[in-house]
Each structure stands twice: as structure tokens, then as C-alpha cells.
Amino acid sequence: MELRHLRCLVAIIDAGGFTDAAIDLGISQAAVSRTIASLEDSLGVRLLHRTSRSVVPTTAGVQVLARARKVLAEADNLIREATTGHTRLRIGHAWSAMGRHTAEYQRRWAARHPGIELHLIRTNSATGGLAEGLCDLAVVRTAFDDARFASAVVGQERRYCVMAADDPWATRRAIPLADIRSRTLLLDRRTGTTTADLWPPDARPVVEYTQDIDDWLAMIATGRSVGITPESTANQYRRDGIVFRRLRDAAPVAVHLIWRRHDPHPATHAAVALLTELYRQRT
């Protein structure tokens, strides 16, 4: 069985007969008849009831037709992915995308590369969907497998302390890193940038865990815990009940663009150059 057999079956039903199906497919009516006969022979069942006035599917034909439409749709999607891959660039991220640069990145990309459509894709994984094959590049702020993925540092982001809006610390302009030791620290185990290694082994805060940024923010809003995050989160996730205060004396977070070493998208270097340009424009 080949895709042409399934396309022929669908064309006959959609067109209402062999003659119109032949026109739609650009082949002869005899070729349509031979193709359907070959399909029926390979399946061992009759698929169509033919009369002088109509063609309707048999019970088996209805079942095969439904499956044929799904198979053809998947095949068309596969072809579309393969043939349009270089006219589309998918950049993944676990959260925050490019932070405060996100909107400007999208605008400048559209202006400079009108032939390559940009898609930002959020995936709750450590590689922003790159390891899962959901994107061509990914913005990451955590460790990654540098044997599997190539990368470029595009910028750095300051760290912020995140707390409930009614937290006593909310009146401060900045929070010393050492003060966090007296609080319960909420960490995103899957994609978060903060670990207990920010403190000496004998002076670490109590730690609790979550696995999604929305859950992380919701739990912090209760006032039971605080969090630490790059400034991109403060730009992208401002919401009622949450405040962000700069964290003093903590190393900044490096922002990387990563991509597959053995199959980079042709626009990879352009994507890296633009994001690097934006991070360098900090005022």
C-alpha cells in the first residue's frame, strides 16, 4: 500500500466519483480505477459500492477512509516540516524567553529576516524543548549537555529575590544573599537557576521544591517562602501579590542560546547575533 492509493480513495469520495477524482488528481480515469483495485486487492476487502450514478464507501471503506485521512494529514505535515524548515525559526524557552528583550527581538527579527518566520515556544524542560525536538534553538539559563549542544553566551542577568507583596522584606530596595538563610527558599527543581550552592554548606536556607514557574509564583504569593530568579522573570511575570527585589552580592546568571551540534538551523548565527546585540544595549 502506498500513499497514492490512499489519496486516490479520498479523492473519489470527496469528488463524488471516478471522473472528477481523475481531474483532481491529474491522472486518467483508468488510472484511478487501477489504483483503487490495487488498494482493494492489497487489503482483501471491497472499499466502494459503484453504481451508474454514485460511488459510496462500504462499511470497510468508511473505516479505511477515516484512517487514510489521518495518515495523509500526517504525511502532509511531515512534508511541510521538511520543506519549510528553513523559512521558520523556532526558539524554545522554559520560561521568560528573552526577558525584557522579547518584544524587541521579535520586532527586529521580522524587520531584518522577513523570509524566516519566528516562533517562540515555551516548554517546561531543562533545554526549553530542544532535547525533545520541539525547537531549533533554545534560550537557557541553567546547565546543559555541552557535548550534545553547541552554545553561545548572549548576555547576563542580575538575580532578584521574589516574595509576597505583604512580606516584611517588600519595603527594602535590595536583599543581601546572607539574609535568605533565615527563610524557606522555594526552588524549581526542573528548570530553575537557583541551587543551594549559592551558600556555604553549613549556612544554607531550608529548601522546598516545585517543578513549574506558575506553581513557584503561586506558592511564593502565600508568604510561606521566597525565591531567587534572574531579572528576566521580573520582566515577564509581574503579577498581583508578588514583588521582586534586587539580590545583593550574588553572581549574575549567564544567558545562553543553545542548538544541536550536528544539525544547526541556517539562521542560528543571525539569531545569536541579534540577541547578543540586545543584551549589550543595557542602559
Side-chain angles (χ1 to χ4, degrees):
M1 189 192 316
E2 301 175 16
L3 289 178
R4 64 185 180 90
H5 294 121
L6 303 181
R7 292 192 190 282
C8 190
L9 174 64
V10 171
I12 292 170
I13 299 303
D14 290 349
F18 283 63
T19 301
D20 289 339
I23 295 173
D24 291 343
L25 294 171
I27 60 178
S28 67
Q29 183 175 337
V32 171
S33 297
R34 288 195 299 270
T35 302
I36 286 300
S38 175
L39 177 58
E40 290 178 329
D41 287 344
S42 65
L43 295 176
V45 294
R46 188 172 183 179
L47 300 176
L48 300 173
H49 286 303
R50 307 169 180 85
T51 70
S52 59
R53 296 184 178 181
S54 65
V55 177
V56 295
T58 63
T59 300
V62 170
Q63 296 176 344
V64 172
L65 180 64
R67 296 291 182 89
R69 292 191 189 279
K70 291 181 180 179
V71 170
L72 292 173
E74 288 297 323
D76 289 343
N77 286 338
L78 178 63
I79 293 170
R80 191 180 303 111
E81 289 286 335
T83 58
T84 64
H86 293 169
T87 62
R88 181 182 64 178
L89 178 65
R90 301 168 300 170
I91 299 183
H93 61 100
W95 39 262
S96 297
M98 295 92 169
R100 68 185 181 93
H101 305 298
T102 302
E104 185 63 20
Y105 189 93
Q106 292 172 298
R107 285 193 290 265
R108 292 193 190 186
W109 183 270
R112 296 182 188 183
H113 307 283
I116 305 176
E117 187 176 2
L118 176 66
H119 293 264
L120 299 184
I121 301 171
R122 179 177 178 251
T123 303
N124 190 30
S125 79
T127 63
L130 187 62
E132 293 81 6
L134 301 176
C135 56
D136 304 299
L137 296 91
V139 182
V140 298
R141 298 170 174 86
T142 56
F144 55 88
D145 183 356
D146 57 8
R148 183 178 181 186
F149 304 115
S151 67
V153 177
V154 295
Q156 293 187 328
E157 295 176 346
R158 294 173 295 185
R159 296 180 192 258
Y160 279 71
C161 183
V162 192
M163 65 202 73
D166 59 355
D167 192 287
W169 286 3
T171 59
R172 302 187 188 183
R173 296 184 61 181
I175 309 297
L177 182 63
D179 284 8
I180 305 295
R181 294 179 300 181
S182 66
R183 303 293 299 269
T184 297
L185 180 66
L186 188 63
L187 303 182
D188 182 337
R189 192 192 298 270
R190 179 174 295 166
T191 63
T193 56
T194 304
T195 70
D197 293 335
L198 283 174
W199 297 268
D202 59 346
R204 291 175 174 172
V206 174
V207 171
E208 294 182 357
Y209 294 97
T210 185
Q211 297 193 53
D212 180 82
I213 188 167
D214 288 309
D215 293 342
W216 180 78
L217 289 167
M219 292 176 69
I220 289 173
T222 67
R224 292 183 54 252
S225 55
V226 298
I228 294 177
T229 191
E231 62 188 279
S232 52
T233 310
N235 296 128
Q236 295 289 87
Y237 287 92
R238 294 192 179 276
R239 61 180 63 185
D240 292 340
I242 290 287
V243 296
F244 296 84
R245 296 293 180 261
R246 189 168 56 84
L247 187 67
R248 293 211 303 262
D249 53 43
V253 174
V255 182
H256 290 82
L257 269 179
I258 65 173
W259 59 92
R260 289 178 290 274
R261 286 189 177 277
H262 303 299
D263 187 25
H265 191 286
T268 293
H269 293 300
V272 171
L274 177 54
L275 193 52
T276 303
E277 172 188 321
L278 289 171
Y279 270 96
R280 285 177 178 171
Q281 290 179 358
R282 176 185 298 281
T283 56

